[in-house]
Amino acid sequence: MTNNNPAMLATWKAGNDWRVLPAFLPLPGMGGLAVNAFLHKGREPVLVDTGLCALGDAFLDALEAEIDLTDLRWIWLSHTDADHIGNLARILERAPQARVVTNFLGMGKMGLLGLDTERVHLLEPGARLTLGDRELVPLRPPYYDAPETLGFLDTRSRTLFAADSFGALLPEPAVNVAEIEAQTLRAGLVTWASIDAPWLATVDRDAFSRSLKTLERLAPTTVLSGHLPVAEGNLSTLTALVHEAWCSGPATEVDPLSIEAVAEALNSGVEAPLEA
């Protein structure tokens, strides 16, 4: 990348029947971050997330090169962070039949942002989204940065959408995880997780380990992440790196903003409370 501006990249295929609408966001001194949206052009086409607002025209051009937006039926929101809903309003204007798939908290945040909630398809706990030839089964990914986060498993193609989980800071864009050198992937994944989900440093490690192993048992053939190149057949590689970083041995760094760290730093200057 030659500047610090986000850039749309060429659309490519993920697995058998998903398309990636990729962008790359340079982060000075840290490499950069993939910012992906995904499209399935089946009987009831679904768009997953809507990209960066800063790439509005470029994102819309890439999307409309793939599908006539009057045919779009669903927009699945992983969560309502700006890098995932950046072009939602513009797409809804051009896609009159599309409905937004989210949960109660996601709909509430949309309302707070001034977004139209009249076209929300509210996913109740335990509900699935049926697309004619497949279902998208909602699930909470193993880690995330917003409580409304919704990933899913595509029951037909066994594609897993992991939302922000498995995101990684990388030195340059890539199409597939297999292209990334192992140590680069590990460093980028751990660094991004520590930024995006700092609570991992204090997570119950046994419970988190069980969550990762359960995710492996879903046996997805393709893993889509909002912030990582496509991983095909590589879920165990990703979960092993996360497990090594957050479940094996003590944390190597202390969060200076944690309650424990702040209390320790102030301990010498804190007086015992006065008794009534």
Side-chain angles (χ1 to χ4, degrees):
M1 310 300 289
T2 59
N3 57 50
N4 294 329
N5 297 319
M8 284 298 300
L9 306 175
T11 302
W12 57 69
K13 186 177 180 181
N16 293 324
D17 49 15
W18 285 87
R19 301 288 289 174
V20 185
L21 300 167
F24 192 76
L25 176 64
L27 300 173
M30 303 181 74
L33 185 68
V35 182
N36 302 319
F38 305 97
L39 177 68
H40 178 260
K41 300 187 290 186
R43 297 180 189 175
E44 298 186 30
V46 56
L47 173 68
V48 179
D49 287 340
T50 67
L52 292 162
C53 181
L55 292 171
D57 289 343
F59 183 88
L60 267 292
D61 289 347
L63 178 59
E64 291 183 314
E66 292 291 325
I67 187 172
D68 184 335
L69 288 181
T70 62
D71 294 331
L72 188 65
R73 293 297 185 272
W74 305 101
I75 302 172
W76 182 289
L77 293 187
S78 63
H79 55 303
T80 56
D81 282 0
D83 54 332
H84 296 266
I85 63 167
N87 298 295
L88 177 58
R90 293 184 66 184
I91 293 171
L92 285 173
E93 289 178 355
R94 303 188 191 195
Q97 298 190 76
R99 300 187 68 188
V100 179
V101 182
T102 186
N103 51 26
F104 178 78
L105 183 55
M107 182 176 70
K109 287 189 174 183
M110 284 180 60
L112 291 173
L113 291 168
L115 294 166
D116 181 11
T117 60
E118 292 186 359
R119 291 163 63 183
V120 165
H121 174 79
L122 192 63
L123 273 182
E124 300 288 350
R128 302 181 178 189
L129 182 66
T130 301
L131 301 178
D133 65 341
R134 71 196 61 217
E135 289 185 319
L136 302 186
V137 182
L139 54 80
R140 191 185 306 280
Y143 58 100
Y144 47 87
D145 66 359
E148 74 272 15
T149 296
L150 283 177
F152 62 74
L153 182 71
D154 174 347
T155 58
R156 182 180 178 91
S157 67
R158 306 300 295 180
T159 296
L160 171 70
F161 172 57
D164 277 5
S165 286
F166 308 118
L169 294 175
L170 299 172
E172 58 187 7
V175 172
N176 195 290
V177 167
E179 301 174 13
I180 306 169
E181 193 271 332
Q183 289 303 314
T184 299
L185 177 61
R186 183 192 185 283
L189 189 151
V190 172
T191 301
W192 179 245
S194 67
I195 295 170
D196 199 49
W199 53 268
L200 283 174
T202 59
V203 73
D204 181 319
R205 295 178 182 182
D206 289 339
F208 188 50
S209 178
R210 288 194 298 272
S211 177
L212 293 172
K213 292 183 183 300
T214 301
L215 193 64
E216 289 179 1
R217 289 204 297 273
L218 292 177
T221 57
T222 303
V223 180
L224 307 179
S225 168
H227 299 303
L228 186 75
V230 173
E232 294 180 305
N234 285 325
L235 179 60
S236 60
T237 299
L238 297 175
T239 54
L241 291 174
V242 173
H243 187 279
E244 177 188 350
W246 305 108
C247 302
S248 304
T252 57
E253 297 183 4
V254 176
D255 180 359
L257 299 181
S258 70
I259 295 172
E260 294 82 1
V262 171
E264 179 68 23
L266 295 177
N267 185 57
S268 60
V270 174
E271 297 180 359
L274 296 175
E275 296 184 2

